[in-house]
Amino acid sequence: MSLRVLAADRNRSEWLAAWERSRSREPFGHPDYCALFTAPGVTPLCAVREPEAGGEGLAGLPGALFPFLLRELSIEPWTAGGEARRDVAVPAGYGGAFLFGDAPFADPASAPRHAIEFWDGFAAWSRRSGVVCADARISLYEDEILPMTGWTRTQASDNVVVDIDRYRAHGGEGFSRSLRRNIRLAVRNGVRVEPDDSPEAFEAFLPLYHETMDRRGAIDYYRFSPHFFDGLKDLVVKGLARLFLGRGPDGTPLCGEVVLLGGRRAYAFLAGGGAAAHRLHANELVRSTICSWLAGGHWNEFVLGGGNKPDDELFQYKLRFAPEGRRSYHVGAVIHAPDSYTELVRTRAAYQRSRGLPPHRARRFPEYR
């Protein structure tokens, strides 16, 4: 098996060619999306295995591409000088080894073998590259990725998915009754929503997003760099994302939402709005308008994501757009160097104690982050 590791900057054309042959062109596999997360000590890469042709009477095998972020542990304040180890995570959203190419799994028994070979190859590369462990938020559409063999799977908070085919047929009848009422109120309040990909609209959206993150006390995971937002603006221009802006009766921007666009489905990505948007129910109208816009195109699902905790207020809000749209969601983890992993956990704990800080409580895997 030949596994190549490509960089988003140096090998963009090769990476893009593989992504363009993927089955649903998920935005999270695009090199330009992954490049948003470039930062000091963070390099966007992609492990790629090309499709294999079958011999006489034998089925071929699809290719697979696994986008990931290679993170240097040397930039962490709690590691010692000379630290050379790294770890891996997937870019924000959903990950896995996305299948590409024309060859289907005609023989179901070939899928696990193909997956084992891919992930064994990635594990070998990881050990050679000083990668201690890897963390992944697994795609909701596991028939479009290789099985995560060798990874530990953990069920996380459910996600919500709006069925756009159903919306196309029945409009907003699938929304909850209270949501439909709020959407009507927003229209009566004079709120207007439309897709607006202009630079001016994006600049109007940014303070709304930052205000929302400040108000909610969002963690650093949701506070992105200027490089990220410049790149996201480019994704909007390229048609890989779309910005929907809600304006008040006088044209003042009230709220907005950026949606990532894949080949089959769209994903809610960033949203923000001020107090006036909440009072006028503008946020609900924005998301309803997104559903209408998607229904006019080729998309069949709109993934809203989940909450911060199972069935929390945020999750319940999303569920109002798809009361029957609950989907199971998993995260994955794999440790390539168990001794190093244990040492890093101890190092982080010692760092906390040495500075009189409370014990570190990781939000998710790995335990030392």
Side-chain angles (χ1 to χ4, degrees), residues 39 82 92 98 116 135 161 174 182 210 294 308 329-330 342-343 352:
F98 299 106
I116 290 170
D135 168 47
V161 179
N182 287 347
H210 293 309
L294 293 172
N308 296 314
Y329 166 58
H330 293 80
T342 300
E343 179 190 340
Q352 300 291 116

Side-chain angles (χ1 to χ4, degrees), residues 196-323:
D196 190 339
D197 298 340
S198 68
E200 294 77 15
F202 197 88
E203 293 304 317
F205 167 73
L206 286 182
L208 295 170
Y209 176 77
H210 293 309
E211 176 188 344
T212 302
M213 295 303 101
D214 290 342
R215 186 174 68 250
R216 294 179 177 173
I219 60 176
D220 290 344
Y221 179 82
Y222 298 103
R223 298 180 184 272
F224 302 107
S225 67
H227 163 81
F228 172 92
F229 287 111
D230 287 342
L232 183 60
K233 188 190 303 183
D234 287 342
L235 290 189
V236 171
V237 171
K238 294 174 181 176
L240 296 168
R242 205 82 201 259
L243 170 63
F244 292 79
L245 204 61
R247 298 180 182 273
D250 61 354
T252 302
L254 301 174
C255 59
E257 183 160 358
V258 176
V259 178
L260 300 178
L261 301 174
R264 298 178 179 175
R265 58 192 67 97
Y267 292 84
F269 190 50
L270 300 184
H278 179 74
R279 185 175 66 254
L280 298 174
H281 302 290
N283 298 292
E284 290 100 320
L285 184 59
V286 165
R287 191 156 283 178
S288 172
T289 302
I290 294 170
C291 291
S292 297
W293 185 83
L294 293 172
H298 61 271
W299 297 276
N300 54 28
E301 289 184 313
F302 182 25
V303 180
L304 305 185
N308 296 314
K309 297 178 181 178
D311 293 324
D312 63 5
E313 183 178 353
L314 176 59
F315 181 83
Q316 293 299 325
Y317 169 73
K318 294 177 179 179
L319 202 60
R320 292 164 63 198
F321 289 88

Side-chain angles (χ1 to χ4, degrees), residues 26-38:
E26 292 289 75
F28 315 107
H30 195 288
D32 295 348
Y33 173 79
C34 298
L36 298 179
F37 302 92
T38 304

Side-chain angles (χ1 to χ4, degrees), residues 19-29 261-264:
W19 177 82
E20 287 178 337
R21 296 179 64 196
S22 62
R23 299 184 176 181
S24 57
R25 296 190 179 189
E26 292 289 75
F28 315 107
L261 301 174
R264 298 178 179 175

